Amino acid sequence: MRAPLAVERLGQVNLFARSLDAELNLQQDVFGARVLRRWGDGPAGSRHALVLIHRTGVETFAPSAPGGAVALRSDGNGWDSLQWQVSSLGDAVTALREHGVRVGEDADGRAFVRPKDMHGLAIGLTDRRAESHDRDLVDREPAFWSDEHALGLVGGATVKVVAAQPEKAAADLAALVGREAYVVERRHLNMAGHGVRFDDHAVEFVGSATGSRADLAGGHLVERGERIFCLTFTVRDLLAARTFLVGRDVRFEQFGRHSLLLAPVDAGGARIEITDTD
C-alpha cells in the first residue's frame, strides 16, 4: 500500500512581484503583515521578503536588476507556488514517487514538484523549520489581530488553482496526502471548486461552472494555463473589510455579497480574494 505524503503545515506561498517595496506596503498596510526577514541582491538579481499574514507565510520575490532570472519570472506572474513543511524529506520524496509524481531536488536540501504533475500546482517541500514558524513560539493571535483590527482575518488561507479537470485534480491530491476531497459551488465567481483541507490551509482546484472561456476561470485557463488563480483570505465581516479597503484606496471588484477580488495591479500582479464564507 502506498504511503501518503504527510504534510505538517503550509510553510509559505511564493509570490513574484515587480516591486518588493510596493508589495510590502500592501501586505503591511492592508493585511497587517509582520515582516520576518528581508534579504537579496544575490547572483539572481533579486530581493526577497518573508512575511506573516495572520497565520499564513508569504515570500515575495522581486527583481533588483533588469535581465536577471527573477526579473524574467516576475513579469506579471503573481502567485507562483507553495511550500509544504514535512517531517522527513526522504519519506516525502518516496511517497511522491510511489504516487507517480516526478520530484526534483536541489543542493539546499529541498524537493520540488512541477505544476504539470499536479494540475497546475507547483510545490516545494522541506523538512527544515522556516522563519514563519516562529508563530509557534507564542501560541496566541498576534496583537494586531485583535477584534479591533478592521480587516479581521480568521482561519487559514485557501490557495485556489485553475485546473482543466478540477475534480480529478482534487481527487489526485486527496489520494496523495491521505485526506478527503470536498466539492463546493462558487456561484458568485461562476466556478466549481474541488479541494482538500489541511490543518492550517486548503488547496482548491477551480474551473468554470459553465465551461465558458470568457469568465474568470475559463479566461485564466486560456490566457495562463493551469496555475494558481488567487489566494483567498476569510474575514469576520465583509462590509467592514470593504469599508477598510475603500479607506486605503485599494481597488477591488465585488462578486456577489460574499467576495471581493483585489485588482492584480494593486497586489503585485497576484489576485487576492477576501470573503466571509468558507
Side-chain angles (χ1 to χ4, degrees):
M1 182 177 178
R2 296 178 300 180
L5 171 62
V7 178
E8 284 193 336
R9 70 190 313 165
L10 175 66
Q12 66 206 41
V13 186
N14 296 317
L15 166 67
F16 281 82
R18 294 185 179 92
S19 167
L20 183 64
D21 293 336
E23 185 61 32
L24 283 179
N25 285 340
L26 173 77
Q27 293 170 357
Q28 292 178 284
D29 187 45
V30 176
F31 291 95
R34 178 156 53 101
V35 179
L36 302 176
R37 188 160 73 99
R38 295 182 65 160
W39 71 103
D41 288 329
S46 61
R47 300 170 65 205
H48 307 250
L50 179 64
V51 308
L52 195 60
I53 298 177
H54 192 44
R55 295 289 180 180
T56 301
V58 174
E59 183 174 338
T60 301
F61 300 74
S64 60
V70 171
L72 296 175
R73 290 192 66 183
S74 63
D75 185 17
N77 273 5
W79 298 115
D80 179 74
S81 57
L82 58 79
Q83 180 175 285
W84 278 338
Q85 172 79 36
V86 296
S87 59
S88 166
L89 189 62
D91 290 348
V93 169
T94 298
L96 285 161
R97 288 175 175 160
E98 286 180 348
H99 282 80
V101 178
R102 293 172 295 178
V103 187
E105 298 181 66
D106 64 20
D108 293 326
R110 293 170 298 198
F112 55 89
V113 176
R114 301 291 187 188
K116 273 190 175 181
D117 284 7
M118 291 298 298
H119 303 273
L121 181 64
I123 303 170
L125 301 118
T126 181
D127 52 12
R128 298 179 181 178
R129 303 300 290 178
E131 287 90 342
S132 57
H133 295 156
D134 74 350
R135 69 189 103 171
D136 295 329
L137 299 179
V138 180
D139 190 19
R140 60 178 176 82
E141 295 292 316
F144 48 76
W145 287 117
S146 66
D147 289 341
E148 288 74 35
H149 191 282
L151 198 57
L153 298 186
V154 295
T158 296
V159 181
K160 287 190 170 81
V161 184
V162 167
Q165 298 176 286
E167 184 174 4
K168 183 178 187 308
D172 288 348
L173 179 60
L176 172 64
V177 299
R179 293 173 181 256
E180 295 294 323
Y182 68 83
V183 58
V184 62
E185 290 185 62
R186 305 292 185 193
R187 292 182 180 178
H188 55 289
L189 299 174
N190 193 35
M191 292 180 182
H194 300 262
V196 176
R197 290 189 175 90
F198 297 85
D199 295 340
D200 62 347
H201 70 290
V203 174
E204 185 176 307
F205 296 93
V206 297
S208 170
T210 60
S212 172
R213 296 164 59 93
D215 60 19
L216 286 168
H220 185 95
L221 187 61
V222 169
E223 294 171 11
R224 309 190 71 181
E226 294 184 308
R227 61 176 300 141
I228 296 176
F229 172 76
C230 72
L231 190 62
T232 298
F233 291 104
T234 304
V235 297
R236 286 187 298 267
D237 185 332
L238 192 67
L239 179 58
R242 189 183 192 281
T243 302
F244 177 74
L245 293 176
V246 170
R248 289 294 193 276
D249 293 323
V250 177
R251 286 168 285 183
F252 58 84
E253 295 180 81
Q254 182 155 356
F255 289 85
R257 291 181 294 175
H258 299 287
S259 174
L260 305 176
L261 272 178
L262 273 62
V265 69
D266 285 340
R271 282 190 177 94
I272 297 175
E273 182 188 20
I274 297 174
T275 182
D276 62 357
T277 185
D278 188 359

